[in-house]
Amino acid sequence: MANRMRREALRRWAVSSVAVALLAALYSIIFRFSAQDAEQSGSLSQEISARCVEILGALSGGDWSEARMAGLAEAFEHPIRKLAHFSEYACMGILVYTLLIQWMKRGRGMYLLTVAWVFLSAACDELHQYFVPGRWASPWDVLLDTCGGTFGMLLCICMAALWRRLRAGRRMKAPTDCEEKGS
């Protein structure tokens, strides 16, 4: 029993350490993106959009004109930017949930703390962005980021429920000693 408790404590610390390290890396990435001035940020978004359109063009047969590709890249830039926001914070929601579940009981308080953590992180990021030349703070981005973090947390909750259901199903289907010997 004591050995099992030690293994569980070690597992919690290991999972927490990995989650904290990945959160630190994610905060660094988010901070660096937010620290880019308007020109750098726009240039990066345009480049990513253009590459996505190139991939789509190649998948569709590769017969798109340069004008069509440029128009599509311009149209895709804003949604790709917002998808990046959502994805970054979905990862944050997963990592924060993973960290908190090691030390807190699953439930409404833990879920609210996860969402609050993501919300405050998004608000601080937008505040930081406000002081970067050519950038501004957007309450809509805070909302989008918080939705991304909530989605990440909900994904964890659903995956854990599915895992528990699969494990319970396997236990019920396992043959008993009597069934094995009687066959």
Side-chain angles (χ1 to χ4, degrees):
M1 183 75 160
N3 200 17
R4 186 172 145 201
M5 289 174 61
R6 269 182 276 184
R7 277 196 316 264
E8 178 62 20
L10 182 61
R11 185 199 62 78
R12 281 181 180 200
W13 280 105
V15 170
S16 297
S17 297
V18 170
V20 166
L22 290 173
L23 269 170
L26 182 60
Y27 277 112
S28 175
I29 290 166
I30 291 170
F31 182 83
R32 288 176 191 208
F33 281 141
S34 293
Q36 292 176 335
D37 64 26
E39 186 178 322
Q40 290 173 313
S41 179
S43 176
L44 179 61
S45 294
Q46 288 169 354
E47 185 179 330
I48 291 170
S49 297
R51 291 204 181 170
C52 289
V53 169
E54 285 174 17
I55 291 168
L56 287 174
L59 291 174
S60 72
D63 58 350
W64 290 356
S65 69
E66 288 295 318
R68 181 175 186 189
M69 289 178 68
L72 285 172
E74 186 176 329
F76 285 172
E77 184 181 347
H78 185 73
I80 286 173
R81 240 181 135 88
K82 297 308 167 190
L83 182 61
H85 265 268
F86 188 88
S87 300
E88 288 171 339
Y89 284 86
C91 290
M92 184 181 291
I94 290 168
L95 292 170
V96 170
Y97 176 87
T98 300
L99 176 62
L100 294 179
I101 197 71
Q102 303 307 310
W103 306 103
M104 294 180 71
K105 185 177 178 185
R106 186 180 293 116
R108 189 180 318 186
M110 194 197 78
Y111 304 148
L112 289 173
L113 183 57
T114 301
V115 173
W117 183 322
V118 172
F119 172 81
L120 288 172
S121 296
C124 289
D125 178 49
E126 288 299 313
L127 180 64
H128 165 245
Q129 204 169 280
Y130 178 77
F131 295 102
V132 175
R135 304 285 298 271
W136 61 89
S138 168
W140 296 110
D141 280 351
V142 174
L143 178 63
L144 179 67
D145 297 344
T146 304
C147 288
T150 303
F151 174 80
M153 177 190 70
L154 291 173
L155 187 62
C156 288
I157 293 167
C158 290
M159 294 302 291
L162 179 62
W163 178 254
R164 284 191 302 275
R165 182 172 288 166
L166 289 172
R167 286 182 62 202
R170 268 190 257 157
R171 273 189 239 129
M172 281 197 246
K173 292 179 184 178
T176 62
D177 289 339
C178 295
E179 291 173 339
E180 288 177 8
K181 291 176 185 174
S183 307

